């Protein structure tokens, strides 16, 4: 609980003993030292307030009836609750936060077809993510489960973002804010997110006819664009005009 | 040459078959137990002369060979190495019900070796091994108060299941192993998903009914092929030594036992015992005994001294209803707990009960670091590991530091089992846990007696 592991409930354990002489018997709570091996039965029970989690019992004599066992178990139950009371005075539930030195973990599911892209040729893409995110640990399982681990949640989230960007797919009709990253005679390349560019052809830059791309946008501008098509090579066609049209400007 | 004999019964809707008189014929006793596709060779051997040790030299082994599951060992050498945790725990679970059934003073060496030859993960090789061990001892005529048998009980939808399959065990609310004779249950080992005491009791009783059936089957086999009982010379303390010790003791130990403080009590008793040993050793020397004879006699003296203590503690508890440290029967020692003792560990706590301290740390890791278990059962990774260490310094002794012993592994497993029930699922918290326990300042156990240091004491 101190480590912030979200366990269902605190668990306590107790060692019990039993000494039997003829028909008389005595059940002992919390046996120690001398009582260790002198008894006729010893058992250890652990559990939560709700019930038993583990039990170990050694009985050296015959004649331990169900009633005796029942009594012993109920005496153990009482002791277990007393120990839980004592523990809860120190800490009564798991902490919300993990230690700042503990590895934090985030899990995400990705489409199995995308695993290759995340890894990249010869592991290039994933190595680059790991490098940029302070040696974050990334496990990718065959079923598409990606586990990202690092002591610092900041780097986990950064890596998560980078992976999300790789697996994100452009959808036709979607509107994005993007940055102009390259200007050519025939149009402007706009970065929708890191790793994903699209082209706004000069004829789709504005409602009116323009002579030069630079008349409307310059490098670094943030503009709103709509995806109007993706060709079979994955090249994205964008339009600024379409956005302006829908805004009725 | 004896003909191979085959005996069959049904156990939990599967065939349990025992074959005798075929394998390991030079051993004192042996048999092959087949439980469906699972097969275990159980062999018992008894030494023909008593040793001079002051404990019962019984060794029980349970070994799983990977060939039983058609696997090649992992690792660089591709050779099976030291016993796995499961083998150690199974060995203990066979040893525990057998050991108390041998007579006091039994000093001949006894070895019981169980080798799993073939395994069907749905048919517990432990169950087969315990039945095999009991039969090997009984058939061989080694005297003990057996036979014994054991079963595993599961609970699904309020119904008990005898010797559940691997799949059933995953769904079960309890994983209970019970062993016993026809008269009584003598060992219980269980993990449970927070079940009530009543349920556990019912399950134990259910198990005992099944155990009785297996024992009736064992008795039939023993009647058919059992050898004559071997006469074993039991070690008895010579009357003269016993009398001499009592004369010197004069009730002083009895008085010292009722000392409240543990350390003080131990020191007092120790002093009296040392004195008695010294006086008697001198006496033995005067009698002209040689070194070996003196040593043997001193062992007898120690046994008498131990008996004095056992008798007194038992008398105090049952008659006077007083415990050595003055506590009431249902009274716990003083409890205390503290957390966050160290900066860089992911979690730490110190739990104190009387003079016993448990120092626990938690390490969280990535799932990829989970332990892969190389064994004959279904391959599985282990996400939560509890490592229990009991260093000798915690009882103020020197000792060898060579990795965890059987007992440490057993205690660790019990704690691990308990905490496993409350861990978050892998989906909710994909983290690996490692917890490490260490004890210090543990009550020093009486010399010659096994210490029972653990989380619960």
């Amino acid at each position: 609980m101190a480590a912030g592991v979200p366990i269902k409930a605190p668990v306590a354990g107790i060692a019990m003993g039993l000494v039997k002489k003829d028909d008389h018997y005595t059940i002992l709570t919390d046996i120690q030292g001398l009582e260790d091996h002198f008894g006729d039965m010893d058992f250890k029970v652990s559990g939560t307030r709700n019930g038993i989690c583990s039990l170990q019992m050694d009985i050296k004599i015959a004649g331990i009836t169900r009633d005796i066992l029942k009594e012993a178990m109920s005496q153990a139950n009482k002791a277990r609750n007393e120990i839980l009371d004592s523990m809860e005075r120190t800490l009564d539930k798991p902490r919300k936060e993990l230690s700042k030195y503990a590895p934090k973990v985030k899990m995400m599911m990705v489409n199995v077809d995308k695993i290759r892209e995340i890894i990249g040729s010869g592991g290039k893409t994933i190595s680059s993510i790991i490098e940029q995110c302070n040696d974050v640990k990334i496990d990718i399982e065959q079923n598409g489960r990606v586990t990202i681990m690092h002591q610092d949640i900041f780097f986990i989230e950064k890596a998560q973002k980078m992976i999300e960007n790789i697996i994100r797919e452009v959808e036709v009709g979607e509107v994005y804010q993007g940055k102009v990253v390259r200007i050519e005679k025939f149009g402007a390349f706009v970065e929708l997110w890191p790793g994903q560019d699209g082209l706004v052809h000069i004829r789709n830059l504005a409602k009116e006819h323009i002579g030069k791309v630079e008349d409307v946008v310059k490098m670094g501008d943030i503009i709103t664009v709509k995806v109007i098509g993706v060709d079979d090579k994955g090249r994205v066609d964008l339009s600024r005009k379409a956005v302006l049209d829908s805004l009725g400007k | 040459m004896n003909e191979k004999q085959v005996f069959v019964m049904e156990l939990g809707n599967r065939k349990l078959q025992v074959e005798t008189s075929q394998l390991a014929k030079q051993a004192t006793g042996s048999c092959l137990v087949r439980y469906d596709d699972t097969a275990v060779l159980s062999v018992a051997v008894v030494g023909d002369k008593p040793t001079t040790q002051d404990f019962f030299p019984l060794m029980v082994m349970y070994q799983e060979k990977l060939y039983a599951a058609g696997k090649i060992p992992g690792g660089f050498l591709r050779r099976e190495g030291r016993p796995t945790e499961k083998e150690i725990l199974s060995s203990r679970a066979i040893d525990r019900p057998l050991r108390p059934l041998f007579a006091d003073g039994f000093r001949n060496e006894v070895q019981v070796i169980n080798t799993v030859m073939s395994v069907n993960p749905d048919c517990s090789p432990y169950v087969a091994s315990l039945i095999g061990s009991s039969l090997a001892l009984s058939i061989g005529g080694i005297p003990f108060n057996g036979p014994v048998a054991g079963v595993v009980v599961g609970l699904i939808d309020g119904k008990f299941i005898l010797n559940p399959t691997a799949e059933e065990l995953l769904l079960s609310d309890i994983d209970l192993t019970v062993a016993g004779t026809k008269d009584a249950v003598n060992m219980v080992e269980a993990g449970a998903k927070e079940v009530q005491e009543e349920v556990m009791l019912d399950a134990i009783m259910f198990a005992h009914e099944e155990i009785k059936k297996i024992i009736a089957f064992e008795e039939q086999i023993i009647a058919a092929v059992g050898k004559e009982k071997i006469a074993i010379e039991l070690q008895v303390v010579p009357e003269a030594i016993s009398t001499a010790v009592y004369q010197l003791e004069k009730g002083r130990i009895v008085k010292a036992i009722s000392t409240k403080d543990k350390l003080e009590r131990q020191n007092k008793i120790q002093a009296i015992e040392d004195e008695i040993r010294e006086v008697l050793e001198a006496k033995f020397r005067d009698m002209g005994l040689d070194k070996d004879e003196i040593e043997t006699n001193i062992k007898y003296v120690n046994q008498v001294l131990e008996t004095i203590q056992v008798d007194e503690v038992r008398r105090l508890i049952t008659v006077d209803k007083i415990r050595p440290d003055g506590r009431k029967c249902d009274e716990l020692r003083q409890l205390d707990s503290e957390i966050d003792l160290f900066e860089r560990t992911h979690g730490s706590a110190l739990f104190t009960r009387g003079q016993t301290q448990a120092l626990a740390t938690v390490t969280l890791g990535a799932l990829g670091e989970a332990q892969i278990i190389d064994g004959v059962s279904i391959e599985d990774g282990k996400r939560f590991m509890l490592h229990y260490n009991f260093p000798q310094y915690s009882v103020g002794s020197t000792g060898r530091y060579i990795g965890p012993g059987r007992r440490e592994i057993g205690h660790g497993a019990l704690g691990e089992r308990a905490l496993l029930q409350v861990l978050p699922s892998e989906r909710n918290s994909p983290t690996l846990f490692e917890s490490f326990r260490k004890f210090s300042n543990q009550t020093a156990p009486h010399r010659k007696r096994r210490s029972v240091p653990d989380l619960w004491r």
Side-chain angles (χ1 to χ4, degrees):
Chain A
M1 294 196 289
V5 178
I7 56 171
K8 277 186 228 156
V11 178
I14 182 74
M16 306 288 296
L18 181 140
V19 184
K20 190 167 181 285
K21 212 173 176 188
D22 308 321
D23 278 346
H24 302 281
Y25 61 89
T26 305
I27 299 164
L28 299 173
T29 294
D30 188 20
I31 52 172
Q32 55 100 10
L34 287 173
E35 297 157 351
D36 267 358
H37 289 273
F38 300 174
D40 298 313
M41 169 169 101
D42 65 84
F43 69 104
K44 305 177 184 79
V45 199
S46 77
T48 64
R49 287 197 195 275
N50 292 328
I52 297 173
C53 289
S54 75
L55 170 69
Q56 185 174 80
M57 204 179 262
D58 287 285
I59 305 166
K60 291 168 207 154
I61 53 161
I64 300 286
T65 61
R66 190 198 156 102
D67 284 341
I68 298 180
L69 276 182
K70 192 177 164 183
E71 195 183 328
M73 299 267 254
S74 93
Q75 192 170 318
N77 182 299
K78 178 177 160 258
R80 190 169 84 221
N81 282 314
E82 281 173 35
I83 297 166
L84 288 168
D85 289 340
S86 160
M87 285 161 61
E88 283 169 9
R89 280 194 286 276
T90 304
L91 189 63
D92 66 345
K93 55 175 174 292
R95 285 183 170 149
K96 290 265 179 292
E97 298 283 318
L98 299 185
S99 150
K100 64 180 173 189
Y101 297 108
K104 315 294 184 299
V105 181
K106 270 212 167 176
M107 239 167 48
M108 58 197 280
M109 289 304 290
V110 302
N111 191 328
V112 181
D113 303 335
K114 291 283 178 183
I115 294 178
R116 267 177 54 196
E117 283 177 50
I118 299 171
I119 294 170
S121 67
K124 225 162 87 187
T125 314
I126 199 158
S127 306
S128 142
I129 297 174
I130 293 171
E131 204 175 299
Q132 288 175 60
C133 299
N134 197 345
D135 286 332
V136 72
K137 257 191 183 170
I138 303 172
D139 277 351
I140 303 175
E141 283 165 65
Q142 305 226 321
N143 61 5
R145 185 162 74 173
V146 178
T147 316
I148 312 168
M149 286 147 294
H150 196 276
Q151 224 167 281
D152 193 336
I153 195 85
F154 172 81
F155 292 109
I156 291 183
E157 279 166 3
K158 186 172 169 191
Q160 188 182 13
K161 197 89 208 197
M162 290 174 85
I163 292 172
E164 275 170 3
N165 285 338
I166 294 169
I167 59 171
R168 210 157 133 186
E169 289 188 41
V170 174
E171 272 177 58
V172 176
E174 202 69 18
V175 175
Y176 296 93
Q177 296 253 317
K179 192 164 94 179
V180 179
V181 289
R182 210 168 101 207
I183 291 178
E184 298 287 345
K185 278 194 185 126
F186 53 85
F189 283 92
V190 174
E191 187 190 69
L192 301 179
W193 59 78
Q196 183 65 61
D197 293 352
L199 172 68
V200 187
H201 195 269
I202 189 161
R203 73 180 128 79
N204 288 328
L205 260 177
K207 287 165 98 168
E208 62 284 352
H209 178 77
I210 53 168
K212 250 175 34 197
V213 174
E214 286 90 339
D215 291 345
V216 183
V217 293
K218 55 180 193 298
M219 281 288 284
D221 275 359
I222 304 287
I223 59 170
T224 308
V225 290
K226 185 173 185 172
V227 180
I228 51 173
V230 181
D231 73 5
D232 53 2
K233 285 184 181 142
R235 289 185 300 210
V236 178
D237 244 338
L238 302 170
S239 170
R240 179 165 176 268
K241 197 171 93 182
V243 179
L244 299 174
D245 279 346
S246 62
L247 288 174
K249 279 183 193 166
Chain B
M1 202 147 116
N2 293 335
E3 280 287 297
K4 169 176 152 184
Q5 303 230 32
V6 178
F7 305 85
V8 180
M9 82 172 274
E10 198 194 86
L11 181 64
N13 301 322
R14 278 152 285 173
K15 189 166 92 170
L16 178 76
Q17 177 171 320
V18 175
E19 297 167 16
T20 66
S21 321
Q22 189 190 20
L23 295 165
K25 288 189 195 171
Q26 301 196 17
T28 316
S30 74
C31 65
L32 183 74
V33 180
R34 294 183 193 272
Y35 190 24
D36 195 286
D37 287 348
T38 294
V40 177
L41 174 65
S42 301
V43 182
V45 182
V46 65
D48 48 12
K49 277 202 195 78
T51 60
T52 54
Q53 279 148 326
D54 49 2
F55 60 91
F56 171 37
L58 168 71
M59 189 188 83
V60 175
M61 244 170 88
Y62 165 93
Q63 47 184 357
E64 289 182 339
K65 294 292 183 186
L66 286 176
Y67 56 66
K71 280 190 199 171
I72 289 172
F76 186 73
L77 292 173
R78 306 274 156 193
R79 186 172 253 287
E80 280 147 315
R82 4 183 257 182
T84 62
E85 194 171 307
K86 191 188 162 207
E87 288 174 309
I88 292 170
L89 295 174
S90 300
S91 299
R92 270 171 64 87
I94 298 168
D95 185 307
R96 281 164 50 206
L98 290 176
R99 194 175 287 272
L101 300 177
F102 286 84
D104 285 342
F106 200 117
R107 295 293 177 266
N108 295 53
E109 270 190 284
V110 176
Q111 293 192 340
V112 185
I113 315 294
N114 297 284
T115 311
V116 181
M117 306 302 299
S118 167
V119 75
N120 168 356
D122 288 334
C123 296
S124 161
Y126 164 76
V127 168
S129 298
L130 184 58
I131 296 169
S133 299
S134 166
L135 279 171
L137 288 165
S138 307
I139 293 170
I142 301 172
F144 79 117
N145 289 321
V148 294
V151 293
V152 177
V153 178
L155 174 67
I156 301 176
D157 296 335
K159 266 212 196 116
F160 291 127
I161 294 170
L162 181 65
N163 296 336
T165 62
E167 198 181 324
E168 284 169 335
L169 216 44
L170 285 179
L171 299 170
S172 176
D173 288 334
I174 60 173
D175 176 359
L176 170 74
T177 303
V178 181
T181 63
K182 66 178 172 195
D183 299 321
V185 163
N186 68 0
M187 187 209 74
V188 177
E189 184 81 49
K193 293 177 185 155
E194 300 178 89
V195 305
Q196 297 308 304
E197 276 77 5
E198 243 346 272
V199 175
M200 203 50 108
L201 281 173
D202 285 341
I204 294 171
M205 296 303 149
F206 169 82
H208 193 220
E209 290 311 309
E210 298 299 329
I211 287 171
K212 284 182 197 166
K213 291 180 203 162
I214 304 172
I215 288 177
F217 172 63
E218 285 187 43
E219 280 172 341
Q220 175 201 332
I221 299 169
I222 297 161
V225 297
K227 295 180 196 163
E228 207 174 307
K229 280 255 188 293
I230 299 167
I232 296 286
E233 193 191 325
L234 299 179
Q235 191 183 75
V236 189
V237 177
E239 193 68 37
I241 293 182
S242 179
T243 316
V245 174
Y246 276 100
Q247 270 170 7
L248 286 165
E249 191 262 335
K250 296 191 202 103
R252 283 182 297 159
I253 292 177
V254 169
K255 228 165 124 194
I257 283 171
S258 300
T259 306
K260 275 193 184 154
D261 183 79
K262 230 159 299 160
L263 225 60
E264 196 189 325
R265 175 172 65 231
Q266 250 136 23
N267 290 340
K268 266 192 198 171
I269 296 172
Q270 188 80 53
I272 301 166
E273 292 191 347
D274 283 346
E275 183 210 303
I276 295 172
R277 265 190 291 269
E278 251 166 61
V279 172
L280 289 176
E281 204 179 325
K283 201 171 144 195
F284 297 143
R285 222 174 290 127
D286 292 344
M287 284 161 69
L289 301 179
D290 69 23
K291 214 178 135 215
D292 285 350
E293 286 168 324
I294 293 177
E295 209 173 284
T296 311
N297 280 347
I298 288 295
K299 278 181 187 160
Y300 288 136
V301 171
N302 287 334
Q303 276 180 43
V304 180
L305 290 172
E306 177 156 343
T307 310
I308 293 173
Q309 283 200 44
V310 174
D311 289 349
E312 172 59 10
V313 171
R314 289 181 61 97
R315 194 196 61 80
L316 274 174
I317 292 168
T318 50
V319 181
D320 296 356
K321 304 272 177 195
I322 300 171
R323 302 171 69 171
D325 56 3
R327 274 186 292 155
K328 281 185 288 205
C329 295
D330 63 348
E331 193 179 335
L332 286 159
R333 283 169 287 167
Q334 177 126 27
L335 304 174
D336 188 39
S337 40
E338 240 181 89
I339 51 171
D340 301 335
L341 289 97
F342 310 109
E343 279 305 308
R344 299 244 170 170
T345 55
H346 300 161
S348 57
L350 173 66
F351 180 71
T352 311
R353 176 144 68 203
Q355 280 165 310
T356 303
Q357 295 178 308
L359 184 57
T361 62
V362 174
T363 308
L364 306 174
L367 267 185
E369 290 173 291
Q371 186 185 1
I372 312 246
I373 316 276
D374 206 1
V376 298
S377 352
I378 295 163
E379 205 158 273
D380 208 0
K382 204 167 161 190
R383 190 168 70 108
F384 173 64
M385 296 173 267
L386 190 149
H387 295 163
Y388 170 98
N389 294 77
F390 178 77
Q392 281 300 310
Y393 60 70
S394 54
V395 285
S397 313
T398 55
R400 298 209 299 163
Y401 287 82
I402 45 161
R406 274 190 173 201
R407 173 168 295 267
E408 285 166 287
I409 286 170
H411 288 321
L414 188 62
E416 185 172 288
R417 230 178 174 182
L419 288 170
L420 215 48
Q421 317 295 338
V422 295
L423 279 190
S425 67
E426 190 169 319
R427 184 179 294 265
N428 294 332
S429 177
T431 315
L432 175 79
F433 310 97
E434 190 206 7
S435 180
F436 177 82
R437 282 162 200 275
K438 201 171 201 176
F439 287 74
S440 46
N441 195 18
Q442 162 85 28
T443 311
H446 184 262
R447 48 176 302 204
K448 297 256 183 277
R449 202 163 296 129
R450 295 185 304 165
S451 64
V452 184
D454 67 5
L455 171 61
W456 293 269
R457 297 210 174 162

